[in-house]
Amino acid sequence: MKSRIIYTLLVHLCLIPAVHAQSVVEPEFDPQEGTAHEVKLFGNGYYLSSGTPIRFMSKFTKGGFIDSTLKSDVLSDLRKNNRIGAEIHTGVEYYAHRIPFFKSSGWSWYFGASYHMNYNAAYSKNLFQLAFFGNRGFAGQTVELGPLNANVLSYGKLSAGAFNKETKSRIALSLVAGQQFSQLNVDRALFYTAGNGSQLDLDLSEQFRSSDTSHRTGKINGWGSAADFVLYFNTGSNKSLKINQGFRVALEDFGFIRWNANSITQKKDSAYRYEGFEVTDLLNGINQPFNVDNLNDTLGIKGTTGAQTHMLPLTFSVAAITETFSDKKVQAFYGFRLRALSNYTPMIHLGMQFNPIHDLALSLYGAFGGYGGFRAGLSASGKIGEHIRYGFCTGNIAGWISKNAYGRDFSLTISTRF
């Protein structure tokens, strides 16, 4: 029979949606003389994993029959420990080129509004096997289902700050409105199945935190603040260096959210033994053994409420960048990205930009890390007339070709100047 334990480990967490991706190539258009106003719209999202292909996640999240062949294929691809993640980011930015930042001639005002959703998890192969194949394969064994860490976070940002009109470096402070937060952390989950199936033992150490569960969709459950720093510089300004290369260094989402007093904390560190239902229990109408409330009571998981403070998933990145519109036919770019509190491994990327004509830039690159392994991406940036710039990117070409790929993503940026 399928174990009930998996439902406790994943209680209250949302399913990860199969969305599209955040690119490592972010088009930054050079400052233009005579610009008074600049408006930038952006949207990006992705799903990426180290072992669950699109064809599995599509059925898992949208509904559909997952046959034994598909489950077996996924299980054989999984490692001892695995990662999965999805993100969505949308927003608008405004650059007031002719309004000095507190009388500074080189700096002007910057304003922005954005929305962010983050889903990620790190889980074991044993946990997947228990969830989709039951505990028959573990008969007579004690297996470790952990470690398990899963996070759900959604929030909005209202930002204001300054940008350098020559380099586009910027600094911004943001008011953060937290909508939803869930975090499940299982340090230990030793699971034993008796050879004849008569007994199950679980030695569990877990902690679950969540924002106010009575206010979910569209509700604000907490407030906070954040700072973002983006620095652009060129080594060509240093005459002691023999290379002329532009760089982008960014520290983003350096902040926190204070969740309201109805936030939930649950902890459990104990052993549990299950030896089946009594006949009298069945006669009395216990016909939902997988009910979450029943499981919480059975395992003795008790919750407390109170305000909580949690840091945002701080991101630090360094990248060698290119000139978006240039007479140079070929330019190289590369970089890395680190992200905290999100099961994200260090990600590196390397690519080449081609400029077939002055007003069009095409890029091909490879990336490794984050929530998955190696993938190849491509991007394009161009102009429409004198006032509109665009850029779009996919970080995983295979995801649009084959459902056996381990992720799919897309990003789009449009800016106008007048």
Side-chain angles (χ1 to χ4, degrees):
M1 66 176 178
K2 287 192 175 182
S3 168
R4 302 188 303 169
I5 305 305
I6 180 61
Y7 294 93
T8 300
L9 298 180
L10 298 177
V11 64
H12 303 312
L13 287 177
C14 297
L15 295 179
I16 297 175
V19 297
H20 308 288
Q22 186 183 25
S23 67
V24 299
V25 181
E26 301 178 9
E28 293 288 350
F29 304 117
D30 297 332
Q32 183 174 334
E33 198 70 33
T35 297
H37 310 280
E38 180 180 355
V39 179
K40 178 181 177 181
L41 302 174
F42 66 89
N44 54 64
Y46 73 90
Y47 152 70
L48 186 64
S49 80
S50 62
T52 49
I54 294 173
R55 61 193 178 107
F56 174 84
M57 290 304 300
S58 179
K59 290 184 178 181
F60 182 66
T61 59
K62 299 177 182 178
F65 179 67
I66 302 176
D67 58 40
S68 58
T69 300
L70 177 55
K71 292 188 292 185
S72 297
D73 289 345
V74 174
L75 184 65
S76 64
D77 287 341
L78 292 178
R79 302 172 183 175
K80 181 179 179 180
N81 295 297
N82 306 274
R83 300 181 311 280
I84 188 171
E87 297 183 15
I88 297 175
H89 307 274
T90 60
V92 57
E93 298 174 347
Y94 171 65
Y95 300 84
H97 286 257
R98 294 185 181 177
I99 303 178
F101 183 75
F102 294 117
K103 299 182 180 181
S104 174
S105 60
W107 292 77
S108 293
W109 281 93
Y110 158 84
F111 301 94
S114 58
Y115 181 72
H116 310 266
M117 296 179 65
N118 298 271
Y119 305 80
N120 61 81
Y123 61 97
S124 69
K125 183 175 182 178
N126 287 338
L127 183 62
F128 181 92
Q129 182 175 344
L130 179 63
F132 291 96
F133 291 89
N135 62 334
R136 183 184 299 273
F138 298 140
Q141 303 178 49
T142 297
V143 295
E144 174 61 83
L145 303 180
L148 168 65
N149 179 265
N151 302 282
V152 175
L153 177 64
S154 60
Y155 59 97
K157 294 171 63 177
L158 190 62
S159 309
F163 75 98
N164 186 284
K165 291 187 288 185
E166 180 180 354
T167 66
K168 290 299 286 289
S169 297
R170 63 182 182 270
I171 179 173
L173 299 178
S174 302
L175 176 66
V176 180
Q179 286 195 344
Q180 182 183 356
F181 164 76
S182 295
Q183 181 185 69
L184 175 63
N185 189 58
V186 177
D187 297 319
R188 182 185 72 253
L190 294 172
F191 181 67
Y192 169 75
T193 301
N196 59 5
S198 62
Q199 177 182 313
L200 303 177
D201 291 332
L202 177 66
D203 184 7
L204 176 67
S205 174
E206 65 90 28
Q207 183 179 77
F208 174 75
R209 299 177 185 273
S210 174
S211 56
D212 189 351
T213 56
S214 64
H215 290 159
R216 286 289 189 181
T217 306
K219 302 293 184 179
I220 296 177
N221 289 310
W223 294 95
S225 61
D228 299 285
F229 307 90
V230 181
L231 172 66
Y232 291 91
F233 65 93
N234 195 300
T235 58
S237 61
N238 188 335
K239 298 185 182 302
S240 64
L241 298 176
K242 296 182 179 181
I243 61 173
N244 186 354
Q245 179 67 62
F247 285 89
R248 179 184 189 270
V249 180
L251 186 67
E252 300 167 288
D253 278 340
F254 180 55
F256 68 94
I257 298 175
R258 180 67 172 174
W259 301 96
N260 67 31
N262 291 323
S263 303
I264 298 171
T265 299
Q266 296 176 341
K267 296 182 180 181
K268 184 65 178 178
D269 190 346
S270 64
Y272 166 72
R273 172 166 293 180
Y274 167 70
E275 296 178 331
F277 294 106
E278 298 290 341
V279 174
T280 54
D281 292 334
L282 295 176
L283 295 177
N284 288 332
I286 298 181
N287 55 13
Q288 292 183 328
F290 304 114
N291 181 272
V292 168
D293 293 330
N294 289 346
L295 282 170
N296 284 342
D297 291 341
T298 301
L299 296 177
I301 297 177
K302 304 298 181 182
T304 59
T305 59
Q308 302 180 33
T309 301
H310 292 278
M311 300 297 292
L312 293 175
L314 172 68
T315 300
F316 175 71
S317 61
V318 177
I321 59 176
T322 60
E323 297 178 39
T324 305
F325 303 125
S326 172
D327 292 328
K328 300 176 183 178
K329 294 300 181 181
V330 180
Q331 300 177 69
F333 59 92
Y334 50 88
F336 70 90
R337 177 182 294 161
L338 307 173
R339 178 167 295 153
L341 307 175
S342 58
N343 295 306
Y344 193 91
T345 62
M347 188 189 72
I348 58 174
H349 71 272
L350 172 66
M352 300 293 293
Q353 176 180 297
F354 307 92
N355 286 67
I357 59 177
H358 183 274
D359 293 346
L360 178 64
L362 305 175
S363 298
L364 181 66
Y365 66 94
F368 181 85
Y371 296 115
F374 176 81
R375 60 269 188 197
L378 58 84
S379 68
S381 303
K383 298 180 181 179
I384 301 177
E386 293 297 323
H387 302 288
I388 298 178
R389 309 287 190 268
Y390 67 86
F392 63 86
C393 173
T394 177
N396 194 346
I397 302 172
W400 299 100
I401 299 174
S402 172
K403 290 187 177 181
N404 290 318
Y406 295 102
R408 180 179 291 171
D409 72 81
F410 186 76
S411 66
L412 176 65
T413 300
I414 299 176
S415 70
T416 180
R417 301 173 177 183
F418 51 94

